[in-house]
Amino acid sequence: MQKIFPILFFSLLTLLSCGTDNDDNVSQAIVTFNFSHNWDGVAVTNSNFNTIQYTNANGEELSITKLRYLISNITFQKSDGETIVLDGYNLVDVTNNANLTFSPTTTIPPGSYSNVSFTFGFNNEDNYNNNYADLNAASWSVPGMLGGGYHYMQLEGRFINDIMTQTGYVFHAIRAVDNTGATQVFEDTFFEVDLGEVTITNNVTFEINMNIAEWFKNPNTWDLNVLNNMLMPNFNAQMMMFQNGQDVFSLNAVNQ
């Protein structure tokens, strides 16, 4: 009996140790994306909305009253060219503090990936025929006269104009369309956000940040006195948004 007790005690310790080990590798990893927002390093949440407190690169003071944007096609690429595209899309709604965390239903095998990326908006294959009931219910669709499909972003607020009066701005990103000719001409304005390489050993969380100020400054210094409304049918404005969006997102951390 004296010999049996130490054996049972050691076995119990072993079982408890295995049961509480959070560092065990997983056979399939759950991927989570957290989205946060800032204005040139100062955190922005919906509690900061509706107050004029930001200054853009052109010197205009402004507020934010709405911010929603769509991300899709989260893709993990291996060095041999193999890609894994996670199902689903996410409408990040900062205004209502909703969908700031997104966990696709698809899991991925652990391993080394040469690049992780996601698409801002929808690519042309997905941005078709307004088939998404949840996005339609969220008033996210684009009018047929502008090509249909869906918004990529809705950013709205108020600013102090050049005659010192508060006025509204509506900064909506869609696929650029030129309606000036006999037929519509479209230009792609969705873009891929590359997050770099990662080695995954466990369930993983990507901390993604949007610097809202970047929409107004690089490479195009945005003059809200000139470009504040009716931007969806403005082909040149949409192309400027596309160009300014290239540096908006950054990867803060990868947690496993």
Side-chain angles (χ1 to χ4, degrees):
M1 184 68 180
Q2 290 178 341
K3 293 181 180 180
I4 295 175
F5 179 78
I7 294 173
L8 290 173
F9 183 73
F10 178 78
S11 299
L12 179 61
L13 286 178
T14 301
L15 286 172
L16 288 173
S17 175
C18 291
T20 58
D21 184 4
N22 292 324
D23 295 326
D24 288 346
N25 291 352
V26 295
S27 59
Q28 288 288 313
I30 299 171
V31 177
T32 300
F33 280 72
N34 289 335
F35 296 91
S36 59
H37 308 84
N38 75 89
W39 187 280
D40 283 340
V42 177
V44 176
T45 68
N46 64 350
S47 65
N48 307 116
F49 284 15
N50 303 305
T51 300
I52 291 182
Q53 58 182 303
Y54 306 110
T55 303
N56 67 12
N58 202 47
E60 289 125 4
E61 297 177 80
L62 58 92
S63 69
I64 301 168
T65 59
K66 176 188 283 189
L67 176 57
R68 303 194 295 177
Y69 58 93
L70 186 72
I71 68 105
S72 63
N73 285 322
I74 296 174
T75 301
F76 288 77
Q77 183 168 356
K78 294 185 176 181
S79 57
D80 63 2
E82 179 187 354
T83 59
I84 301 174
V85 181
L86 306 191
D87 291 334
Y89 52 85
N90 187 45
L91 179 58
V92 181
D93 186 350
V94 186
T95 311
N96 295 303
N97 202 36
N99 301 332
L100 302 184
T101 293
F102 178 48
S103 293
T105 56
T106 310
T107 57
I108 64 171
S112 295
Y113 293 88
S114 57
N115 190 51
V116 182
S117 65
F118 64 84
T119 297
F120 172 76
F122 271 150
N123 62 26
N124 292 332
E125 182 179 354
D126 296 326
N127 195 32
Y128 184 68
N129 275 349
N130 296 82
N131 286 329
Y132 304 99
D134 57 334
L135 296 182
N136 296 338
S139 300
W140 197 243
S141 57
V142 171
M145 64 178 295
L146 296 178
Y150 292 96
H151 285 77
Y152 301 159
M153 182 178 71
Q154 295 175 336
L155 170 59
E156 300 177 12
R158 298 187 66 78
F159 75 102
I160 299 176
N161 64 20
D162 56 6
I163 58 172
M164 302 306 293
T165 301
Q166 280 196 32
T167 189
Y169 69 87
V170 180
F171 193 96
H172 287 192
I174 65 171
R175 182 176 56 160
V177 55
D178 185 350
N179 280 329
T180 59
T183 60
Q184 290 181 317
V185 176
F186 294 98
E187 189 73 30
D188 293 340
T189 51
F190 65 87
F191 56 84
E192 187 175 283
V193 178
D194 291 327
L195 304 176
E197 61 182 317
V198 64
T199 297
I200 294 178
T201 59
N202 214 320
N203 297 331
V204 59
T205 299
F206 291 83
E207 303 288 345
I208 309 298
N209 194 273
M210 174 197 278
N211 183 358
I212 304 167
E214 286 287 345
W215 287 109
F216 299 99
K217 68 179 178 180
N218 183 37
N220 303 295
T221 301
W222 203 274
D223 187 345
L224 281 173
N225 286 283
V226 177
L227 296 170
N228 55 67
N229 261 292
M230 296 298 292
L231 302 184
M232 288 172 61
N234 188 327
F235 180 86
N236 291 330
Q238 290 300 320
M239 294 309 300
M240 291 168 65
M241 290 181 194
F242 166 74
Q243 293 160 4
N244 283 14
Q246 303 303 309
D247 297 319
V248 161
F249 292 98
S250 61
L251 175 64
N252 279 357
V254 178
N255 300 316
Q256 300 191 63

